Amino acid sequence: MIDLLIRGALVYDGTGAPPQHADVAVAGGRIARVAPCIDAVDAVDAVDAVDAVDAVDAVARTVDADGLALMPGIIDSHTHFDAQITWDPTLRPSPALGVTTAVIGNCGFTIAPCRPADRELTMRNLTQVEGMSLDALRAGIDWGFESFADYMAQLRRRGCAINVAAYAGHSSVRTYVMGADAARRAASADEIARMQDIVRDAMRHGAVGFATSTSPAHNGEGGLPMPSRLADDAEMAALVGAMAEAGRGVYMLTKGGHTKVSFLESLAAATGRPVMIAALLHNGTNPRAVFDDLDAIAAANERGHRLLGQVSCCPLTMDFTLASPYPVEGLASWKPALGLSGDALKAKLAEPSFRDAVRAELATPATFRLFNNEWDKVHVVEVARPEHARLEQRSIAEIARAAGGDPLDAMLDLALDEDLQTVFTAQLLNSDEEAVGRMLNHPHSIVSLSDAGAHLTFFNDAGFGLHLLGHWARDRGAMTIEEAVRRLTSHPATVLGLRGRGAIRAGHAADLLLFDPRTVGRGPKRRVRDLPAGGARLTTDAVGVHGVWVNGRQVADAHGILPGVPLAGALLTDFDG
Ligand SMILES: [Zn+2]
């Protein structure tokens, strides 16, 4: 019995090979057969192939895909759905955007293990570091677990619309062992040993690897660094070593400027495990920096060590208010304002000495910094007071020039005048398309960094895969469609060890995306209020998507996620080494 027969699509099989017209038959959640179409091959082969499907097996459903293209479902290797998955097993909006597998726990910002006493701290940290609404987290997270194993068991019990693989997260592991001290000091030898045990246990229960962050942009509750940032090199090496004892696993980290690629290479050399390095974003004010990292990564590969750089195909643009200004919160000079709210925050933002310190820091170039003093790239999106309406859509540089003042003053004064309600948008990084095109084609980069599930009011890049296909491959010709498909499917599947996924091949899981190559892309962002406790998020609609199947079951069509979407995804715990 064939459950599904997709006929006549131009099939991109995920390997990077040129596409071919073929019929794809699905049975029992797997690809049963890929047969050339009658119009694409000589008659004898075609009759054999198609008749084999039609005559021998009954077909439950046939989809006529003439004029459309079929590829393996997109694998999103950088998401933060760890909390959302406990209240929304659909993982909106990813399935509608062609994503059939999501990797959670990136940067080590997981919610397991977590003692009941640390739940509030964990939620407050996520609110600060990943821009998740505290009210939504409090109302939404189902805390039916304490250990990583319990968390995985809960995910398996509840199900999910798409496949999920989970990292063991450093900050959670550290908090579990050290409590509130995790964000304050180095660990003792005994504490490191206990952390190693937790990492080993997570690997036994199906973690895809170990994830961490050393990035100064990653601050938690009250402006304290996220716990993993307090780890010294010995702790990092011990935990990556504990992961590698499983004989498999990916070491993922979001790298601060002070973490050297050579140190990461030494961990790859010691363990034999791949190292996935985020977030390689192009900075127009320091355009060489990201290529220096990619060069160092390439050199490590030449020495036989597997390092990859996570790159993004989307310009990093963030909407924000001064009540929670993520783009500047990584600045050392912003520290005094972190953790403040209401009148205390307003008083700090008004202080001339605070402003002078921020100005001085922004005037010095940095290797990695979200905001780089480019005031022509910060715009007013929405004002709170009608008398300021004329400022909407104008850049801060322009507004400051017109007033004969300084841009930082102009932005802060406007925000203070509106009770910090003014919405700004900043085009931060990755907007130089020539440079980004080179990064996307780099032999040791991996197309990633959607951050889906996080920063929900700041930006939404969950549709990154559709953007790579439409904008980069079709419109800009930066790569062929088959190469774009490979980079979204078999490439991440191989790096992550996702067995039997990422290619259209008999025996592989039937994770499929049917799309129109002439129109595929991501729609404009829009704001919806569907989070627990009525919170808002940005979302994007798919363009040119005709169907998405996970393990052979359809989860989305041309109108988006199906009503009553089946929880067709698998919790992935069995990986190739
Ligand atoms: Zn992240």
Side-chain angles (χ1 to χ4, degrees):
M1 172 75 176
I2 296 296
D3 302 318
L4 170 69
L5 178 62
I6 300 177
R7 297 197 74 149
L10 186 62
V11 173
Y12 291 88
D13 69 3
T15 66
Q20 294 195 322
H21 281 96
D23 296 338
V24 174
V26 171
R30 294 183 180 279
I31 294 166
R33 198 172 302 139
V34 183
C37 295
I38 197 151
D39 57 2
V41 293
D42 70 81
V44 178
D45 282 0
V47 169
D48 279 358
V50 176
D51 283 358
V53 169
D54 279 356
V56 179
D57 303 302
V59 175
R61 183 187 171 203
T62 301
V63 173
D64 175 12
D66 194 28
L68 299 177
L70 187 69
M71 62 179 272
I74 293 165
I75 295 168
D76 187 342
S77 59
H78 194 126
T79 81
H80 293 279
F81 282 126
D82 302 70
Q84 182 180 329
I85 194 172
T86 73
W87 72 77
D88 170 30
T90 307
L91 298 189
R92 285 168 204 284
S94 291
L97 298 164
V99 173
T100 57
T101 298
V103 181
I104 65 175
N106 276 275
C107 315
F109 305 146
T110 50
I111 59 172
C114 184
R115 297 182 198 282
D118 293 328
R119 289 174 186 167
E120 180 69 15
L121 173 65
T122 298
M123 291 189 286
R124 287 176 173 277
N125 280 343
L126 285 177
T127 297
Q128 181 65 40
V129 74
E130 293 295 353
M132 298 176 180
S133 149
L134 185 57
D135 290 338
L137 293 175
R138 282 181 176 151
I141 296 181
D142 182 350
W143 289 103
F145 55 86
E146 178 167 327
S147 68
F148 183 84
D150 295 343
Y151 177 71
M152 295 292 269
Q154 177 173 315
L155 296 190
R156 191 177 288 110
R157 210 163 52 236
R158 299 288 179 75
C160 184
I162 63 177
N163 308 305
V164 169
Y167 281 112
H170 194 173
S171 283
S172 297
V173 171
R174 209 166 199 273
T175 300
Y176 195 81
V177 169
M178 299 173 67
D181 266 7
R184 296 198 166 84
R185 63 170 173 84
S188 68
D190 173 60
E191 286 163 338
I192 291 174
R194 281 154 61 206
M195 285 189 242
Q196 284 183 301
D197 281 343
I198 295 174
V199 172
R200 288 185 191 104
D201 184 64
M203 293 304 290
R204 271 195 298 277
H205 287 91
V208 68
F210 172 72
T212 187
S213 167
T214 62
S215 169
H218 285 154
N219 299 294
E221 162 71 354
L224 288 174
M226 282 301 281
S228 60
R229 290 180 52 202
L230 276 293
D232 55 22
D233 288 358
E235 175 180 335
M236 204 63 92
L239 298 183
V240 177
M243 172 198 82
E245 287 170 22
R248 59 172 190 83
V250 174
Y251 170 44
M252 181 277 156
L253 94 161
T254 296
K255 188 175 93 61
H258 60 286
T259 305
K260 296 285 171 267
V261 173
S262 55
F263 170 64
L264 302 175
E265 184 182 357
S266 75
L267 297 183
T271 61
R273 302 314 311 160
V275 181
M276 193 118 79
I277 303 169
L280 300 190
L281 296 162
H282 188 259
N283 178 348
T285 65
N286 193 354
R288 267 306 311 167
V290 74
F291 290 104
D292 290 343
D293 278 343
L294 282 168
D295 286 349
I297 287 169
N301 278 274
E302 273 158 33
R303 291 185 285 267
H305 305 132
R306 283 183 290 169
L307 274 59
L308 290 107
Q310 287 192 351
V311 301
S312 170
C313 64
C314 305
L316 184 61
T317 300
M318 283 197 190
D319 292 3
F320 66 97
T321 70
L322 264 299
S324 178
Y326 196 86
V328 288
E329 287 179 344
L331 296 174
S333 57
W334 202 269
K335 283 247 151 64
L338 274 184
L340 299 181
S341 60
D343 288 341
L345 175 59
K346 284 187 243 174
K348 182 56 70 184
L349 298 181
E351 263 176 33
S353 60
F354 171 77
R355 294 182 178 192
D356 286 343
V358 173
R359 259 189 290 271
E361 183 173 358
L362 286 174
T364 53
T367 304
F368 179 79
R369 191 163 65 198
L370 281 177
F371 178 62
N372 292 285
N373 223 13
E374 297 175 286
W375 294 102
D376 54 323
K377 294 185 178 177
V378 184
H379 286 78
V380 177
V381 176
E382 201 180 303
V383 296
R385 293 171 52 169
E387 64 267 35
H388 294 146
R390 70 198 153 75
L391 300 178
E392 287 186 355
Q393 312 309 326
R394 294 179 69 191
S395 77
I396 298 299
E398 215 182 315
I399 293 169
R401 251 192 323 269
D406 168 86
L408 180 68
D409 289 336
M411 180 175 76
L412 295 182
D413 289 342
L414 172 61
L416 286 170
D417 208 25
E418 299 204 319
D419 198 30
L420 309 186
Q421 298 299 302
T422 326
V423 182
F424 300 92
T425 190
Q427 200 183 70
L428 299 165
L429 300 167
N430 242 33
S431 54
D432 177 339
E433 295 214 313
E434 184 279 323
V436 174
R438 277 189 285 142
M439 293 163 62
L440 296 175
N441 278 304
H442 190 277
H444 302 291
S445 69
I446 179 165
V447 179
S448 187
L449 295 177
S450 81
D451 262 343
H455 308 295
L456 296 179
T457 58
F458 298 128
F459 67 99
N460 184 312
D461 289 341
F464 78 105
L466 305 181
H467 190 59
L468 188 74
L469 294 166
H471 177 75
W472 288 99
R474 182 194 59 228
D475 296 346
R476 280 190 64 92
M479 60 182 72
T480 60
I481 300 267
E482 51 266 37
E483 171 64 3
V485 169
R486 184 188 74 84
R487 283 190 169 262
L488 297 169
T489 58
S490 73
H491 183 230
T494 303
V495 172
L496 294 160
L498 307 184
R499 186 173 299 160
R501 294 186 194 271
I504 295 182
R505 182 181 297 158
H508 269 229
D511 296 340
L512 299 167
L513 166 56
L514 184 66
F515 66 101
D516 185 342
R518 292 162 301 190
T519 59
V520 67
R522 59 170 183 170
K525 67 185 175 190
R526 59 188 177 85
R527 201 167 286 268
V528 293
R529 303 191 73 90
D530 62 356
L531 292 179
R537 67 182 173 102
L538 292 169
T539 190
T540 26
D541 296 319
V543 177
V545 167
H546 285 250
V548 181
W549 289 263
V550 175
N551 298 310
R553 296 168 76 190
Q554 189 164 9
V555 296
D557 64 12
H559 308 290
I561 295 171
L562 297 181
V565 57
L567 299 182
L571 180 67
L572 306 181
T573 55
D574 187 18
F575 304 95
D576 289 327

mmCIF file of all heavy atoms in Angstrom, residues 2 5 7 22-25 33-39 41-59:
data_model
loop_
_atom_site.group_PDB
_atom_site.id
_atom_site.type_symbol
_atom_site.label_atom_id
_atom_site.label_comp_id
_atom_site.label_asym_id
_atom_site.label_seq_id
_atom_site.Cartn_x
_atom_site.Cartn_y
_atom_site.Cartn_z
ATOM 1 N N ILE A 2 0.649 2.106 -0.999
ATOM 2 C CA ILE A 2 1.344 3.389 -1.064
ATOM 3 C C ILE A 2 0.432 4.427 -0.409
ATOM 4 O O ILE A 2 -0.728 4.588 -0.789
ATOM 5 C CB ILE A 2 1.634 3.768 -2.536
ATOM 6 C CG1 ILE A 2 2.593 2.755 -3.178
ATOM 7 C CG2 ILE A 2 2.178 5.176 -2.635
ATOM 8 C CD1 ILE A 2 3.969 2.722 -2.560
ATOM 9 N N LEU A 5 1.467 9.388 -3.309
ATOM 10 C CA LEU A 5 2.260 9.387 -4.535
ATOM 11 C C LEU A 5 2.295 10.819 -5.059
ATOM 12 O O LEU A 5 1.247 11.394 -5.352
ATOM 13 C CB LEU A 5 1.622 8.448 -5.562
ATOM 14 C CG LEU A 5 2.312 8.379 -6.927
ATOM 15 C CD1 LEU A 5 3.738 7.851 -6.801
ATOM 16 C CD2 LEU A 5 1.498 7.497 -7.890
ATOM 17 N N ARG A 7 3.330 13.000 -8.022
ATOM 18 C CA ARG A 7 3.653 12.707 -9.417
ATOM 19 C C ARG A 7 4.138 13.936 -10.165
ATOM 20 O O ARG A 7 3.562 15.008 -10.080
ATOM 21 C CB ARG A 7 2.420 12.172 -10.155
ATOM 22 C CG ARG A 7 1.918 10.864 -9.582
ATOM 23 C CD ARG A 7 0.993 10.169 -10.552
ATOM 24 N NE ARG A 7 1.757 9.600 -11.657
ATOM 25 C CZ ARG A 7 1.391 8.490 -12.308
ATOM 26 N NH1 ARG A 7 0.288 7.859 -11.975
ATOM 27 N NH2 ARG A 7 2.130 8.037 -13.292
ATOM 28 N N ALA A 22 10.412 13.207 -11.519
ATOM 29 C CA ALA A 22 10.235 11.863 -10.965
ATOM 30 C C ALA A 22 8.924 11.780 -10.193
ATOM 31 O O ALA A 22 8.338 12.796 -9.818
ATOM 32 C CB ALA A 22 11.407 11.509 -10.040
ATOM 33 N N ASP A 23 8.498 10.562 -9.981
ATOM 34 C CA ASP A 23 7.368 10.288 -9.095
ATOM 35 C C ASP A 23 7.948 9.760 -7.786
ATOM 36 O O ASP A 23 8.850 8.922 -7.806
ATOM 37 C CB ASP A 23 6.459 9.202 -9.695
ATOM 38 C CG ASP A 23 5.811 9.668 -11.003
ATOM 39 O OD1 ASP A 23 5.724 10.895 -11.206
ATOM 40 O OD2 ASP A 23 5.408 8.799 -11.800
ATOM 41 N N VAL A 24 7.416 10.240 -6.695
ATOM 42 C CA VAL A 24 7.931 9.804 -5.390
ATOM 43 C C VAL A 24 6.792 9.134 -4.619
ATOM 44 O O VAL A 24 5.739 9.739 -4.405
ATOM 45 C CB VAL A 24 8.500 10.998 -4.590
ATOM 46 C CG1 VAL A 24 8.905 10.560 -3.181
ATOM 47 C CG2 VAL A 24 9.696 11.606 -5.323
ATOM 48 N N ALA A 25 7.010 7.888 -4.263
ATOM 49 C CA ALA A 25 6.003 7.124 -3.529
ATOM 50 C C ALA A 25 6.409 7.002 -2.068
ATOM 51 O O ALA A 25 7.582 6.771 -1.760
ATOM 52 C CB ALA A 25 5.852 5.734 -4.148
ATOM 53 N N ARG A 33 9.804 4.659 -3.068
ATOM 54 C CA ARG A 33 10.362 4.547 -4.405
ATOM 55 C C ARG A 33 10.458 5.925 -5.035
ATOM 56 O O ARG A 33 9.598 6.771 -4.830
ATOM 57 C CB ARG A 33 9.427 3.665 -5.242
ATOM 58 C CG ARG A 33 10.050 3.101 -6.497
ATOM 59 C CD ARG A 33 9.097 2.102 -7.137
ATOM 60 N NE ARG A 33 8.753 1.011 -6.222
ATOM 61 C CZ ARG A 33 7.512 0.513 -6.108
ATOM 62 N NH1 ARG A 33 6.519 1.014 -6.805
ATOM 63 N NH2 ARG A 33 7.275 -0.476 -5.268
ATOM 64 N N VAL A 34 11.505 6.131 -5.802
ATOM 65 C CA VAL A 34 11.649 7.341 -6.613
ATOM 66 C C VAL A 34 11.789 6.848 -8.047
ATOM 67 O O VAL A 34 12.753 6.159 -8.382
ATOM 68 C CB VAL A 34 12.899 8.149 -6.207
ATOM 69 C CG1 VAL A 34 12.992 9.448 -7.018
ATOM 70 C CG2 VAL A 34 12.884 8.455 -4.708
ATOM 71 N N ALA A 35 10.786 7.180 -8.872
ATOM 72 C CA ALA A 35 10.770 6.630 -10.233
ATOM 73 C C ALA A 35 10.758 7.750 -11.253
ATOM 74 O O ALA A 35 10.003 8.704 -11.117
ATOM 75 C CB ALA A 35 9.519 5.765 -10.408
ATOM 76 N N PRO A 36 11.586 7.642 -12.295
ATOM 77 C CA PRO A 36 11.594 8.687 -13.318
ATOM 78 C C PRO A 36 10.220 8.796 -13.975
ATOM 79 O O PRO A 36 9.525 7.795 -14.134
ATOM 80 C CB PRO A 36 12.637 8.189 -14.330
ATOM 81 C CG PRO A 36 13.395 7.118 -13.637
ATOM 82 C CD PRO A 36 12.510 6.550 -12.589
ATOM 83 N N CYS A 37 9.824 10.003 -14.382
ATOM 84 C CA CYS A 37 8.525 10.210 -15.025
ATOM 85 C C CYS A 37 8.545 9.748 -16.462
ATOM 86 O O CYS A 37 9.573 9.719 -17.112
ATOM 87 C CB CYS A 37 8.148 11.680 -15.032
ATOM 88 S SG CYS A 37 7.903 12.294 -13.419
ATOM 89 N N ILE A 38 7.356 9.504 -16.961
ATOM 90 C CA ILE A 38 7.202 8.989 -18.315
ATOM 91 C C ILE A 38 7.750 9.963 -19.366
ATOM 92 O O ILE A 38 8.294 9.542 -20.371
ATOM 93 C CB ILE A 38 5.715 8.652 -18.570
ATOM 94 C CG1 ILE A 38 5.581 7.744 -19.795
ATOM 95 C CG2 ILE A 38 4.878 9.886 -18.707
ATOM 96 C CD1 ILE A 38 4.377 6.853 -19.713
ATOM 97 N N ASP A 39 7.631 11.274 -19.097
ATOM 98 C CA ASP A 39 8.066 12.231 -20.114
ATOM 99 C C ASP A 39 9.556 12.527 -20.018
ATOM 100 O O ASP A 39 10.114 13.229 -20.822
ATOM 101 C CB ASP A 39 7.269 13.527 -20.012
ATOM 102 C CG ASP A 39 7.361 14.152 -18.647
ATOM 103 O OD1 ASP A 39 8.074 13.595 -17.764
ATOM 104 O OD2 ASP A 39 6.728 15.179 -18.416
ATOM 105 N N VAL A 41 12.072 10.067 -19.467
ATOM 106 C CA VAL A 41 12.969 8.970 -19.844
ATOM 107 C C VAL A 41 12.360 8.190 -21.007
ATOM 108 O O VAL A 41 11.232 8.455 -21.416
ATOM 109 C CB VAL A 41 13.181 7.998 -18.659
ATOM 110 C CG1 VAL A 41 13.941 8.666 -17.550
ATOM 111 C CG2 VAL A 41 11.849 7.477 -18.183
ATOM 112 N N ASP A 42 13.093 7.255 -21.501
ATOM 113 C CA ASP A 42 12.518 6.490 -22.607
ATOM 114 C C ASP A 42 11.382 5.613 -22.101
ATOM 115 O O ASP A 42 11.289 5.263 -20.926
ATOM 116 C CB ASP A 42 13.599 5.685 -23.350
ATOM 117 C CG ASP A 42 14.119 4.561 -22.507
ATOM 118 O OD1 ASP A 42 13.453 3.516 -22.455
ATOM 119 O OD2 ASP A 42 15.187 4.751 -21.888
ATOM 120 N N ALA A 43 10.512 5.283 -23.013
ATOM 121 C CA ALA A 43 9.222 4.688 -22.656
ATOM 122 C C ALA A 43 9.347 3.401 -21.845
ATOM 123 O O ALA A 43 8.587 3.185 -20.913
ATOM 124 C CB ALA A 43 8.419 4.435 -23.922
ATOM 125 N N VAL A 44 10.324 2.571 -22.174
ATOM 126 C CA VAL A 44 10.399 1.263 -21.512
ATOM 127 C C VAL A 44 10.639 1.422 -20.000
ATOM 128 O O VAL A 44 9.890 0.891 -19.182
ATOM 129 C CB VAL A 44 11.537 0.421 -22.140
ATOM 130 C CG1 VAL A 44 11.640 -0.923 -21.416
ATOM 131 C CG2 VAL A 44 11.244 0.203 -23.621
ATOM 132 N N ASP A 45 11.662 2.235 -19.662
ATOM 133 C CA ASP A 45 11.952 2.476 -18.246
ATOM 134 C C ASP A 45 10.744 3.056 -17.536
ATOM 135 O O ASP A 45 10.402 2.667 -16.427
ATOM 136 C CB ASP A 45 13.100 3.489 -18.099
ATOM 137 C CG ASP A 45 14.437 2.809 -18.353
ATOM 138 O OD1 ASP A 45 14.412 1.599 -18.621
ATOM 139 O OD2 ASP A 45 15.463 3.503 -18.285
ATOM 140 N N ALA A 46 10.139 4.028 -18.233
ATOM 141 C CA ALA A 46 9.059 4.762 -17.582
ATOM 142 C C ALA A 46 7.880 3.851 -17.293
ATOM 143 O O ALA A 46 7.301 3.887 -16.213
ATOM 144 C CB ALA A 46 8.623 5.922 -18.460
ATOM 145 N N VAL A 47 7.511 3.023 -18.272
ATOM 146 C CA VAL A 47 6.384 2.122 -18.061
ATOM 147 C C VAL A 47 6.694 1.198 -16.889
ATOM 148 O O VAL A 47 5.882 1.013 -15.989
ATOM 149 C CB VAL A 47 6.094 1.335 -19.352
ATOM 150 C CG1 VAL A 47 5.118 0.204 -19.059
ATOM 151 C CG2 VAL A 47 5.525 2.273 -20.411
ATOM 152 N N ASP A 48 7.911 0.694 -16.869
ATOM 153 C CA ASP A 48 8.305 -0.166 -15.753
ATOM 154 C C ASP A 48 8.114 0.556 -14.424
ATOM 155 O O ASP A 48 7.512 0.047 -13.498
ATOM 156 C CB ASP A 48 9.805 -0.515 -15.865
ATOM 157 C CG ASP A 48 9.995 -1.652 -16.871
ATOM 158 O OD1 ASP A 48 8.958 -2.121 -17.376
ATOM 159 O OD2 ASP A 48 11.152 -2.017 -17.131
ATOM 160 N N ALA A 49 8.670 1.768 -14.380
ATOM 161 C CA ALA A 49 8.718 2.484 -13.111
ATOM 162 C C ALA A 49 7.327 2.870 -12.630
ATOM 163 O O ALA A 49 6.949 2.583 -11.494
ATOM 164 C CB ALA A 49 9.590 3.727 -13.261
ATOM 165 N N VAL A 50 6.588 3.535 -13.513
ATOM 166 C CA VAL A 50 5.298 4.056 -13.075
ATOM 167 C C VAL A 50 4.307 2.926 -12.853
ATOM 168 O O VAL A 50 3.566 2.912 -11.873
ATOM 169 C CB VAL A 50 4.775 5.087 -14.099
ATOM 170 C CG1 VAL A 50 3.385 5.554 -13.704
ATOM 171 C CG2 VAL A 50 5.731 6.261 -14.175
ATOM 172 N N ASP A 51 4.335 1.953 -13.744
ATOM 173 C CA ASP A 51 3.420 0.832 -13.557
ATOM 174 C C ASP A 51 3.722 0.095 -12.262
ATOM 175 O O ASP A 51 2.821 -0.399 -11.593
ATOM 176 C CB ASP A 51 3.519 -0.149 -14.734
ATOM 177 C CG ASP A 51 2.775 0.401 -15.949
ATOM 178 O OD1 ASP A 51 2.190 1.488 -15.802
ATOM 179 O OD2 ASP A 51 2.811 -0.247 -17.006
ATOM 180 N N ALA A 52 4.978 0.049 -11.936
ATOM 181 C CA ALA A 52 5.349 -0.639 -10.703
ATOM 182 C C ALA A 52 4.625 -0.009 -9.523
ATOM 183 O O ALA A 52 4.140 -0.691 -8.637
ATOM 184 C CB ALA A 52 6.854 -0.578 -10.496
ATOM 185 N N VAL A 53 4.556 1.310 -9.528
ATOM 186 C CA VAL A 53 3.872 1.996 -8.448
ATOM 187 C C VAL A 53 2.361 1.816 -8.550
ATOM 188 O O VAL A 53 1.688 1.481 -7.583
ATOM 189 C CB VAL A 53 4.242 3.503 -8.470
ATOM 190 C CG1 VAL A 53 3.342 4.272 -7.519
ATOM 191 C CG2 VAL A 53 5.699 3.682 -8.106
ATOM 192 N N ASP A 54 1.809 2.042 -9.759
ATOM 193 C CA ASP A 54 0.354 2.063 -9.901
ATOM 194 C C ASP A 54 -0.287 0.678 -9.829
ATOM 195 O O ASP A 54 -1.342 0.504 -9.241
ATOM 196 C CB ASP A 54 -0.028 2.690 -11.248
ATOM 197 C CG ASP A 54 0.030 4.208 -11.144
ATOM 198 O OD1 ASP A 54 0.281 4.692 -10.033
ATOM 199 O OD2 ASP A 54 -0.173 4.877 -12.161
ATOM 200 N N ALA A 55 0.385 -0.277 -10.482
ATOM 201 C CA ALA A 55 -0.279 -1.562 -10.645
ATOM 202 C C ALA A 55 -0.121 -2.459 -9.422
ATOM 203 O O ALA A 55 -1.079 -3.059 -8.973
ATOM 204 C CB ALA A 55 0.272 -2.266 -11.882
ATOM 205 N N VAL A 56 1.077 -2.480 -8.876
ATOM 206 C CA VAL A 56 1.325 -3.426 -7.788
ATOM 207 C C VAL A 56 0.700 -2.939 -6.482
ATOM 208 O O VAL A 56 0.156 -3.703 -5.712
ATOM 209 C CB VAL A 56 2.844 -3.644 -7.612
ATOM 210 C CG1 VAL A 56 3.112 -4.609 -6.462
ATOM 211 C CG2 VAL A 56 3.444 -4.156 -8.904
ATOM 212 N N ASP A 57 0.786 -1.623 -6.276
ATOM 213 C CA ASP A 57 0.330 -1.105 -4.990
ATOM 214 C C ASP A 57 -0.908 -0.222 -5.161
ATOM 215 O O ASP A 57 -0.980 0.569 -6.082
ATOM 216 C CB ASP A 57 1.437 -0.233 -4.375
ATOM 217 C CG ASP A 57 2.725 -1.002 -4.210
ATOM 218 O OD1 ASP A 57 2.698 -2.024 -3.528
ATOM 219 O OD2 ASP A 57 3.742 -0.574 -4.779
ATOM 220 N N ALA A 58 -1.812 -0.327 -4.242
ATOM 221 C CA ALA A 58 -2.902 0.634 -4.185
ATOM 222 C C ALA A 58 -2.329 1.947 -3.668
ATOM 223 O O ALA A 58 -1.414 1.947 -2.856
ATOM 224 C CB ALA A 58 -3.976 0.134 -3.247
ATOM 225 N N VAL A 59 -2.849 3.060 -4.181
ATOM 226 C CA VAL A 59 -2.331 4.360 -3.774
ATOM 227 C C VAL A 59 -3.427 5.119 -3.046
ATOM 228 O O VAL A 59 -4.505 5.345 -3.594
ATOM 229 C CB VAL A 59 -1.843 5.159 -5.002
ATOM 230 C CG1 VAL A 59 -1.412 6.555 -4.587
ATOM 231 C CG2 VAL A 59 -0.702 4.422 -5.687
#
